[in-house]
Amino acid sequence: MKKILVTLGVLILAIGGYFGYKYYANTYQAVTAYALTPEKIPTAHQTVDQSGNKIDGYTSYDYTFEFVKKNGEKEIMTYELSGENVTPYAPNTLIKAEISHTHIVSGPNEIKQSEIPATILAELE
């Protein structure tokens, strides 16, 4: 009986560890990706929190980026740029971000054309 309980406990830990790692890998393991901001600046709107309540003094811009990863894969992601005195990205600006399968982990930040590998730059233009 004791062996069955120990085996069952180890099995539960292994399954939990597998799904925990899978969640971590999809959500937090990031790769470098590059994108080009749209030609038109998105319309500014009042920032709201997760409950739908307005946040006074905050403005947001909603972007949809087509990122190109270092391996050449493309991924479309949305991003809300928000803050008190936020300035939208200039049209057709090159940006760099660290992205996972589910969201943008860090960035996006504006970069110079010389900082992007030539193969990725060709995909963006």
Side-chain angles (χ1 to χ4, degrees):
M1 182 69 170
K2 189 174 181 180
K3 286 183 181 182
I4 293 173
L5 290 175
V6 169
T7 304
L8 187 60
V10 169
L11 186 61
I12 289 171
L13 284 174
I15 291 171
Y18 170 77
F19 284 109
Y21 174 76
K22 195 172 180 180
Y23 172 80
Y24 169 80
N26 283 329
T27 307
Y28 298 109
Q29 280 188 332
V31 295
T32 302
Y34 304 90
L36 189 64
T37 60
E39 293 180 12
K40 183 180 174 194
I41 296 174
T43 305
H45 63 86
Q46 177 70 47
T47 304
V48 295
D49 62 17
Q50 291 179 344
S51 302
N53 301 320
K54 292 182 180 180
I55 302 174
D56 293 332
Y58 278 69
T59 306
S60 294
Y61 296 90
D62 293 328
Y63 286 93
T64 300
F65 295 122
E66 182 178 26
F67 285 104
V68 178
K69 300 176 186 178
K70 285 190 173 186
N71 63 3
E73 290 180 15
K74 293 183 179 181
E75 189 156 343
I76 296 175
M77 292 193 156
T78 58
Y79 178 72
E80 180 181 44
L81 178 65
S82 59
E84 283 187 280
N85 294 312
V86 67
T87 304
Y89 295 111
N92 295 321
T93 301
L94 294 167
I95 59 169
K96 175 182 176 181
E98 297 296 320
I99 65 171
S100 70
H101 291 288
T102 58
H103 68 280
I104 298 172
V105 176
S106 100
N109 300 309
E110 295 181 20
I111 61 170
K112 297 176 185 174
Q113 184 174 355
S114 60
E115 297 177 41
I116 300 177
T119 54
I120 294 174
L121 190 59
E123 291 282 328
L124 292 173
E125 296 179 341

